[in-house]
Amino acid sequence: MIALKNQDLLRTQGYINGKWVNAKNNTTFSVLNPFDQSIITNVADLGVAETKEAIEAANEAWSAWRSKTAKERGQCLLRWAEQVRNNLSDLTLLLTTEQGKPLEQSKMDINYIPTLIEWFAAEAMRLHGQTITPLVENIRLMTIRQPIGVVAAIAPWNFPASLCMQQCVPAIAVGCTVVFKPAEQTPLTILALARLSELAGLPPGVFNVIPCEKPAEIGKEFTTNPLVRKLCFTGSTATGKLLAKEAASTIKKITLELGGNCPFILFADANVDAAIDQAIELKFLNAGQVCNGINRFLVEDSIYDDVVAKFVEKAKKLKVGAGIESDTTMGPVISEAAIKKIERLVEDAVKKGAQIKLGGKSDPKGKWIYQPTVLSDVPIEADMFHEEIFGPVAPFYRFKSEEEALRLANDTKYGLAAYFYTQNPDRIHRLSEALEAGLVGANTTSVFGETLPFGGCKESGIGREGGVVGSLDGYCEIKTIATGSFGT
Ligand code: ADP
């Protein structure tokens, strides 16, 4: 049992139309602590019937919610932000317990939530239409933005709370209502956020949460129910493709934020030490389970050996263990399947010629802890050059010219983020434009925040989450209104 200051935030039921509900057939599923696989609690395992009810409730709630002024909706959201601020430590503890990451990292995720709510609450008051100059007589033209309707949203387990809010808050701010499905591994922080939305006075039906163990049938209902007007999905490319196919049956608007295979390119003319510090931080954040995390280190030949040696020295300082312990800097990965995938990719790379400079195996401290791992001279034939590792493994590749670095960086079906480090201003512009990625970090890895459109090109997704472009206005239909005049 987890001991919160406010035990009322440990919710184990679904939240539909302002009511806390069990599964109709009373089934539950266990939520595990990924550090020791102990059961934290059991949560209602909702199914298709409950999902249909939630969608209908969201549809009912929509007309009153959209009729409120943007200011009224904003005020309601600000009360939600305040509730979150009043409960930061409990939310942080919940997140670390169900997700495994160190408390410091959970704190960062949770602190982001009220900031995000406040920004969208204000920004939704500034969504404007246009007047358009007519090209013929006796007509006036304008556009207005209107909320799209019921939004169904699905987020993963790596940043469960902040990614959920990144999807749901802008939708709610512009006047949509939401049915949200958390990942089966991490429903608890989101259910606590739902309780806080209730205390903040968000009207019933505006934000609904459907915890479940088997997501496929809920996904099918989301994609095929005609009352759902938009689907937002953050997760793997494989699941995204499946949902996009299903959603085509009802021509739903979709936003997909999918996998990545992000390069980190280090040129000899960069501030190398600062670059390595930032690389270490991003690579091992959340035990490497970050969609815009670094999957491939491309380093210029002349500094390669020195960079690998420095990186290894810094990676050695990481302290693996339970997220709850204050000196832990890296926790477990999320599941047995995650460990197996990392092991397979490392084994494959080593078989093909990579050298293990650090780690390379799981850690005795915990069944699901993989040691911080550094591999050098990884051949591009290795599976990990093409596949997302999603674990604490840093593979290093060499390049000899900018042209080669660019070719290697773009040699992937993904296009989420790309990072590069150089002090050459011309190169900064050239590469920023030439890298095939939705997010480019030039001498920085900070490409995420409530004000920034976040998302990928190629098979990394469709649309953007965060910011005004794509996110806030992605929950609106643009309506063109032409008004004729008979000149009377
Ligand atoms: P991962 O492999 O990282 O867990 P997934 O894409 O499987 O990535 O999971 C991300 C989210 O998608 C989770 O909330 C999960 O429950 C959900 N999910 C997985 N499969 C489906 C599906 N067939 N339909 C709807 N949601 C799904």
Side-chain angles (χ1 to χ4, degrees):
M1 191 69 174
I2 175 170
L4 303 175
K5 284 187 212 148
N6 178 4
Q7 210 60 27
D8 178 46
L9 291 182
L10 183 62
R11 313 301 293 190
T12 56
Q13 294 168 296
Y15 184 61
I16 299 177
N17 204 17
K19 296 202 173 58
W20 293 93
V21 298
N22 291 323
K24 287 186 192 300
N25 60 7
N26 274 321
T27 50
T28 60
F29 64 100
S30 300
V31 180
L32 304 184
N33 179 330
F35 174 67
D36 57 9
Q37 295 81 50
S38 60
I39 296 175
I40 306 166
T41 188
N42 293 311
V43 171
D45 187 8
L46 304 195
V48 172
E50 296 88 337
T51 306
K52 280 188 203 290
E53 275 179 25
I55 293 170
E56 278 154 26
N59 192 49
E60 284 281 305
W62 179 38
S63 79
W65 184 243
R66 70 181 295 190
S67 302
K68 287 190 187 298
T69 63
K71 192 163 183 178
E72 285 169 329
R73 284 194 297 270
Q75 283 164 342
C76 200
L77 284 168
L78 292 181
R79 289 198 301 274
W80 194 7
E82 195 186 340
Q83 288 286 344
V84 175
R85 278 198 204 288
N86 291 340
N87 291 280
L88 291 174
S89 61
D90 276 348
L91 293 166
T92 300
L93 182 58
L94 264 177
L95 181 54
T96 283
T97 310
E98 65 176 338
Q99 205 279 341
K101 64 180 76 180
L103 281 171
E104 262 317 297
Q105 293 180 23
S106 291
K107 200 167 155 188
M108 269 166 33
D109 289 4
I110 297 296
N111 280 343
Y112 174 60
I113 291 171
T115 317
L116 171 148
I117 298 177
E118 285 158 4
W119 191 80
F120 279 112
E123 208 57 28
M125 286 190 254
R126 303 184 193 113
L127 267 189
H128 305 300
Q130 274 186 312
T131 56
I132 296 169
T133 306
L135 300 182
V136 294
E137 285 179 2
N138 295 329
I139 199 157
R140 290 184 180 85
L141 302 171
M142 66 173 187
T143 63
I144 58 171
R145 282 190 158 87
Q146 293 184 301
I148 208 164
V150 176
V151 171
I154 300 173
W157 45 263
N158 57 343
F159 293 88
S162 46
L163 292 178
C164 159
M165 298 301 268
Q166 185 103 342
Q167 294 172 326
C168 300
V169 170
I172 292 171
V174 299
C176 297
T177 53
V178 178
V179 182
F180 178 81
K181 189 206 78 59
E184 49 279 23
Q185 298 89 343
T186 53
L188 299 177
T189 316
I190 290 157
L191 290 169
L193 288 167
R195 172 66 177 143
L196 295 173
S197 78
E198 185 184 11
L199 295 172
L202 207 65
V206 171
F207 180 52
N208 306 274
V209 182
I210 306 284
C212 75
E213 189 172 27
K214 291 176 210 72
E217 55 181 26
I218 311 294
K220 188 82 189 258
E221 187 59 31
F222 278 0
T223 50
T224 54
N225 190 316
L227 294 178
V228 174
R229 301 283 179 84
K230 173 155 186 171
L231 176 78
C232 290
F233 173 75
T234 304
S236 65
T237 295
T239 307
K241 284 182 182 176
L242 177 85
L243 292 172
K245 208 182 281 179
E246 287 176 3
S249 68
T250 46
I251 310 289
K252 279 194 208 318
K253 311 291 179 283
I254 50 175
T255 296
L256 301 175
E257 206 270 89
L258 308 176
N261 182 7
C262 309
F264 179 101
I265 310 169
L266 190 48
F267 288 95
D269 66 7
N271 181 336
V272 172
D273 289 331
I276 293 174
D277 283 343
Q278 294 192 355
I280 289 271
E281 207 174 300
L282 179 57
K283 177 65 249 183
F284 297 106
L285 180 71
N286 201 16
Q289 305 166 111
V290 180
C291 54
N292 61 303
I294 304 165
N295 211 53
R296 295 174 295 154
F297 286 85
L298 309 178
V299 180
E300 192 160 357
D301 193 40
S302 61
I303 55 167
Y304 186 92
D305 294 330
D306 187 39
V307 167
V308 172
K310 282 182 169 159
F311 192 92
V312 166
E313 281 317 303
K314 295 205 162 157
K316 274 184 189 162
K317 298 203 174 99
L318 289 158
K319 181 149 189 312
V320 300
I324 195 83
E325 283 161 19
S326 61
D327 57 345
T328 295
T329 50
M330 200 188 90
V333 294
I334 195 71
S335 63
E336 183 79 25
I339 280 276
K340 289 260 170 315
K341 180 181 180 190
I342 297 165
E343 283 172 350
R344 169 176 67 77
L345 288 171
V346 171
E347 226 170 85
D348 168 79
V350 170
K351 206 161 63 194
K352 290 173 180 163
Q355 292 174 34
I356 298 177
K357 297 287 184 186
L358 183 70
K361 53 182 187 297
S362 52
D363 195 276
K365 274 218 171 132
K367 212 166 136 200
W368 294 351
I369 295 185
Y370 198 83
Q371 291 180 347
T373 293
V374 181
L375 302 178
S376 76
D377 296 292
V378 183
I380 61 167
E381 291 73 29
D383 291 346
M384 64 171 64
F385 185 82
H386 307 281
E387 255 183 75
E388 198 174 24
I389 305 167
F390 235 57
V393 177
F396 281 79
Y397 306 85
R398 285 174 202 268
F399 69 84
K400 290 207 166 80
S401 65
E402 179 182 319
E403 199 191 11
E404 188 189 7
L406 181 64
R407 184 172 47 73
L408 289 172
N410 285 343
D411 182 14
T412 170
K413 64 183 181 181
Y414 296 102
L416 186 53
Y419 311 95
F420 66 94
Y421 285 69
T422 175
Q423 305 274 30
N424 176 336
D426 277 349
R427 183 179 272 161
I428 289 179
H429 292 298
R430 265 197 313 272
L431 283 187
S432 296
E433 289 161 15
L435 283 163
E436 295 174 346
L439 310 154
V440 169
N443 295 320
T444 181
T445 52
S446 295
V447 293
F448 179 83
E450 66 274 33
T451 62
L452 291 179
F454 185 94
C457 54
K458 293 156 84 177
E459 290 195 15
S460 286
I462 297 175
R464 295 293 180 264
E465 274 164 11
V468 173
V469 179
S471 171
L472 205 54
D473 69 8
Y475 293 107
C476 298
E477 291 284 12
I478 293 181
K479 185 181 279 175
T480 300
I481 303 177
T483 309
S485 162
F486 297 112
T488 51

